[in-house]
Amino acid sequence: MAQKLVVGNWKLNGSLAANEALFGAIGAVAGVDAAVCVPFPYLAQAASSLRGLALGAQTVSEFQTGAYTGEVSAEMLAELGCRYVIVGHSERRSLFGEDDAAVGRKAAAALRAGLAPIVCVGESLAEREAGRALDVVGRQLDAVSAVIGASALARVVVAYEPVWAIGTGRAASVDEAQVVHAGIRGWLAGRGAAAARVLYGGSVKADNAAALFATPGIDGGLIGGASLAARDFMAICRAAASGA
Ligand code: PEP
């Protein structure tokens, strides 16, 4: 079985001094692949300070070059040492108007530059309560597949992040997560991409990580708040290693 993957999403947090302390306190854990996705201005610092963890960014332009003020291309991220980039995080979708098609184009841009897009999918609370979680996730995945093509799906990391679990302290239960992960796995397998990793994200903490990572179909985690505390992030990495 492939090693689990734990990815920290720092969101809009950090400072040169705070980052240095955090980088000094996190490191590789045997038996787990780990990465941190930092704000753009800190990529170079992270590339020189990280020990044994891969580097990622939190979003990317769909464009490669040209008159797109403020945008950052996938090629630039690759040049700075990124291996991963998050696309379609629910905060990008809800706060910055990124729709399913734009998420697909961003995933395609990442692949073009040799990065692995971490494609976030997940339903809102209202959608879950209406019994539509699997439909929503399927629609979001279909949109990405329509742009990148099914043959590229194996190079994608999928992160199932129920919107109601992100930053709320209310993680999905093992049963809730298992149902959707099984649906995503089925969707991937039906397109020849059974090897793609599927992460769970949404209020993963040191005390619930082991149970989530032991759940069939969960290949690791996308970690927001807990990735900013070295002790918590390392505990989550250790839980992933022992659950591999
Ligand atoms: C996230 O932002 O991707 C996330 C999962 O956040 P948190 O772990 O804080 O819920």
Side-chain angles (χ1 to χ4, degrees), residues 9 11 89 91 161 165-168 201-205 222-226:
N9 172 18
K11 310 194 190 202
H89 191 283
E91 289 152 13
E161 296 210 307
I166 296 176
T168 61
S203 295
V204 177
K205 307 290 179 202
L222 182 55
I223 318 298

Side-chain angles (χ1 to χ4, degrees), residues 114-220:
L115 305 179
I118 300 173
V119 176
C120 298
V121 296
E123 80 288 357
S124 67
L125 187 57
E127 289 164 337
R128 167 157 289 268
E129 287 174 349
R132 296 187 46 233
L134 287 170
D135 290 346
V136 169
V137 166
R139 185 204 76 218
Q140 292 170 331
L141 290 173
D142 283 342
V144 171
S145 181
V147 180
I148 69 172
S151 62
L153 286 170
R155 295 161 58 204
V156 164
V157 177
V158 176
Y160 169 55
E161 296 210 307
V163 177
W164 46 271
I166 296 176
T168 61
R170 180 193 162 192
S173 69
V174 163
D175 289 348
E176 288 168 333
Q178 190 167 353
V179 168
V180 181
H181 277 256
I184 294 171
R185 289 222 158 277
W187 185 95
L188 287 165
R191 288 155 184 80
R197 281 160 150 171
V198 185
L199 311 183
Y200 168 79
S203 295
V204 177
K205 307 290 179 202
D207 60 2
N208 62 12
L212 286 163
F213 294 158
T215 303
I218 296 186
D219 299 320

Side-chain angles (χ1 to χ4, degrees), residues 16 23 38-50 55 80-82:
L16 290 173
F23 292 140
V38 305
F40 291 141
Y42 300 138
L43 286 170
Q45 181 194 20
S48 65
S49 299
L50 273 176
L55 181 58
L80 281 168
C82 287

